[in-house]
C-alpha cells in the first residue's frame, strides 16, 4: 500500500540522516565532561595544543604540579611523561579516553619503558620492576591497545611532542542508505 511505502521511506530517510550525522567527526573533551576544545594561547605546558585544546592552563598546571618526575629520568623519559600528562589537553581524547579510562597504544608503552628503564620508582629501576612496556602501562591502570587508531600515542617531530589519535574508522552512511 502507499501508506506502508511512505512509512518505509520515512524510516529509511531517518536512518540515512542519522548515519550521515554520526559519521561526521565532532571532537569533544571526554575528560572534561564533553566540553568543546578551544584555543588556549597561554598554556605553559602542552604548548603544542595551544590552538585547539581540551584543557585550560590552570587544569594542566595542577596536573603537572601533582606528579613528580622519576629519579634519574633521562630527557627522553621526561618527554614521554610530559606527553602522557598532556593527554587531557588533546582535542582527540574522545578516541582514547572513554568510560573514565585511558587507552594507550602498545608501542607507546614499549617506547616509554625503553626511555625510562633506568629511572627509579621507590628505589628500584623501572626495568627491574616491570618486564616490558605492557606491564608498565598496565600497572598504571591504562588499557593497552595493539592498534594505532583507538589509543593514545606519542609522535616526536623535531623535538616537539604531540599526542595524536586518528580515531576509529566511521561506518559509511552509504551502507545504510543502500540497505533501504
Amino acid at each position: 500500500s502507499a501508506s506502508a511505502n511512505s512509512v518505509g521511506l520515512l524510516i529509511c530517510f531517518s536512518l540515512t540522516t542519522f548515519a550521515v550525522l554520526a559519521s561526521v567527526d565532532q571532537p569533544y573533551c571526554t575528560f572534561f565532561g564533553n566540553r568543546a576544545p578551544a584555543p588556549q594561547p597561554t598554556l605553559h605546558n602542552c604548548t603544542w595544543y595551544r590552538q585547539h585544546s581540551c584543557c585550560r592552563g590552570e587544569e594542566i598546571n595542577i596536573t603537572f604540579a601533582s606528579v613528580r618526575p622519576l629519579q634519574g629520568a633521562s630527557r627522553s623519559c621526561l618527554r614521554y611523561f610530559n606527553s602522557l600528562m598532556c593527554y587531557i589537553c588533546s582535542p582527540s581524547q574522545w578516541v582514547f579516553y572513554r568510560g573514565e579510562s585511558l587507552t594507550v597504544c602498545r608501542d607507546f608503552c614499549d617506547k616509554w619503558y625503553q626511555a625510562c628503564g633506568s629511572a627509579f620508582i621507590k628505589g628500584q629501576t623501572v626495568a627491574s620492576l616491570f618486564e616490558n612496556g605492557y606491564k608498565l602501562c598496565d600497572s598504571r591502570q591504562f588499557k593497552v591497545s595493539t592498534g594505532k587508531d583507538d589509543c593514545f600515542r606519542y609522535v616526536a617531530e623535531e623535538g616537539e611532542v604531540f599526542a595524536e589519535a586518528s580515531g576509529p574508522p566511521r561506518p559509511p552512511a552509504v551502507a545504510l542508505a543502500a540497505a533501504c
Side-chain angles (χ1 to χ4, degrees), residues 28-74:
Y28 56 97
C29 306
T30 51
F31 187 86
F32 295 105
N34 206 26
R35 73 176 174 215
Q40 297 294 325
T42 60
L43 282 181
H44 296 291
N45 294 304
C46 314
T47 56
W48 52 95
Y49 291 123
R50 282 182 177 162
Q51 292 185 9
H52 199 64
S53 179
C54 280
C55 71
R56 297 181 181 131
E58 62 275 3
E59 293 163 338
I60 198 62
N61 291 343
I62 290 168
T63 299
F64 272 80
S66 67
V67 177
R68 290 185 173 180
L70 298 178
Q71 290 183 322
S74 67

Side-chain angles (χ1 to χ4, degrees), residues 112-131:
W112 183 30
Y113 175 79
Q114 290 170 0
C116 297
S118 62
F120 290 88
I121 298 176
K122 298 182 181 179
Q124 295 184 21
T125 65
V126 169
S128 68
L129 288 171
F130 306 103
E131 182 177 322

Side-chain angles (χ1 to χ4, degrees), residues 14-159:
S14 297
L15 286 173
T16 303
T17 302
F18 174 75
V20 169
L21 292 174
S23 69
V24 176
D25 284 340
Q26 294 294 325
Y28 56 97
C29 306
T30 51
F31 187 86
F32 295 105
N34 206 26
R35 73 176 174 215
Q40 297 294 325
T42 60
L43 282 181
H44 296 291
N45 294 304
C46 314
T47 56
W48 52 95
Y49 291 123
R50 282 182 177 162
Q51 292 185 9
H52 199 64
S53 179
C54 280
C55 71
R56 297 181 181 131
E58 62 275 3
E59 293 163 338
I60 198 62
N61 291 343
I62 290 168
T63 299
F64 272 80
S66 67
V67 177
R68 290 185 173 180
L70 298 178
Q71 290 183 322
S74 67
R75 182 177 167 92
S76 177
C77 177
L78 292 174
R79 285 188 7 209
Y80 276 93
F81 263 103
N82 287 353
S83 173
L84 190 55
M85 288 190 293
C86 290
Y87 85 87
I88 67 171
C89 297
S90 173
S92 299
Q93 66 182 241
W94 60 275
V95 172
F96 51 76
Y97 186 81
R98 294 178 302 279
E100 297 187 21
S101 182
L102 177 62
T103 301
V104 181
C105 297
R106 173 68 189 257
D107 66 336
F108 175 91
C109 296
D110 293 338
K111 290 174 184 175
W112 183 30
Y113 175 79
Q114 290 170 0
C116 297
S118 62
F120 290 88
I121 298 176
K122 298 182 181 179
Q124 295 184 21
T125 65
V126 169
S128 68
L129 288 171
F130 306 103
E131 182 177 322
N132 55 42
Y134 175 86
K135 298 218 178 199
L136 171 61
C137 284
D138 188 55
S139 77
R140 308 280 54 123
Q141 299 179 352
F142 301 144
K143 291 180 182 175
V144 181
S145 172
T146 55
K148 291 189 186 287
D149 291 334
D150 64 343
C151 51
F152 176 85
R153 63 190 171 97
Y154 170 89
V155 180
E157 296 177 1
E158 299 177 14

